[in-house]
Amino acid sequence: MRKMSLFIAMSLDGYIADIKGGVNWLTGQGNDDENIDTYAEFVKNIDTILMGWNTYHQIVTELSPNEWIYHDFTTYVMTHNEHISSEQIRFVNIDPVSLAKGLKEEEGKDVWICGGANLVQQLVNEDLIDCYYITVVPIILGSGIRLFEKAKHRIKLRLVKTQSYNGMTDLVYVRR
């Protein structure tokens, strides 16, 4: 069975975006020479990405408007609107929980939950996320889009790895 992994960054006070949905604060406290490429290590075991429409839209309009940066993966974008899918990007208007359960049963590498908060919350509520890779960024936003909001139940986790660089801390948890 494939694993479902959340790989995401959040502020120290638990937000994944500011009040306007911006993520330009996702930097460490020093220069980029101190960064560790945790992304490259993480994606070695991934072949599929799940993301919500807002995350997709932010990537293609703001973060990387000239190039689809996830070309090595099959990406499912959750949306209620009709869009033309391609081999790499599949726009789907189905229940994310059903899609996630189906993807877990398929052959292949693991699945990355890329964002956003609404999608994450639905999968958390059904306890479908196996691994939580969370980078804590050294900033307090005070408001914005919260990563975990109003979970239906407790999910006990086990810390399996930590590492710090450039003021950021990676926390890796698995369900216990």
Side-chain angles (χ1 to χ4, degrees):
M1 181 178 281
R2 299 163 86 180
K3 286 190 299 188
M4 194 90 20
S5 297
L6 174 65
F7 184 87
I8 201 162
M10 71 177 191
S11 65
L12 183 61
D13 54 346
Y15 296 100
I16 60 171
D18 65 25
I19 197 76
K20 294 181 180 178
V23 294
N24 61 346
W25 52 269
L26 288 172
T27 58
Q29 64 191 16
N31 64 40
D32 288 339
D33 294 342
E34 300 175 32
N35 284 339
I36 297 173
D37 191 2
T38 57
Y39 171 81
E41 189 63 32
F42 172 76
V43 297
K44 287 179 181 177
N45 298 315
I46 300 294
D47 65 4
T48 305
I49 300 173
L50 263 179
M51 69 176 64
W53 170 258
N54 291 339
T55 301
Y56 168 79
H57 188 259
Q58 187 172 45
I59 291 167
V60 298
T61 61
E62 186 181 330
L63 303 176
S64 182
N66 299 319
E67 174 191 8
W68 179 243
I69 53 176
Y70 300 127
H71 52 82
D72 291 334
F73 311 99
T74 301
T75 301
Y76 290 87
V77 179
M78 310 306 298
T79 180
H80 297 294
N81 301 313
E82 292 216 12
H83 299 279
I84 298 172
S85 294
S86 67
E87 185 68 27
Q88 293 176 324
I89 305 169
R90 299 176 185 173
F91 297 98
V92 293
N93 183 8
I94 60 173
D95 171 43
V97 170
S98 298
L99 177 61
K101 286 179 179 178
L103 288 172
K104 284 183 85 140
E105 297 297 325
E106 289 180 3
E107 291 292 319
K109 293 182 177 182
D110 295 340
V111 179
W112 170 17
I113 309 307
C114 184
N118 187 350
L119 173 62
V120 170
Q121 194 60 56
Q122 291 179 65
L123 300 178
V124 166
N125 283 339
E126 297 299 322
D127 202 13
L128 289 173
I129 300 176
D130 301 292
C131 300
Y132 294 78
Y133 294 79
I134 299 173
T135 300
V136 179
V137 179
I139 189 169
I140 296 173
L141 294 177
S143 63
I145 300 170
R146 197 171 277 291
L147 177 56
F148 300 112
E149 188 77 36
K150 300 177 185 171
K152 288 183 178 178
H153 53 84
R154 293 180 185 178
I155 297 175
K156 292 184 177 184
L157 304 173
R158 181 170 49 93
L159 182 65
V160 294
K161 181 178 179 183
T162 63
Q163 68 180 4
S164 295
Y165 52 94
N166 197 5
M168 298 182 286
T169 301
D170 293 337
L171 304 168
V172 182
Y173 294 94
V174 295
R175 284 189 314 213
R176 52 178 168 128

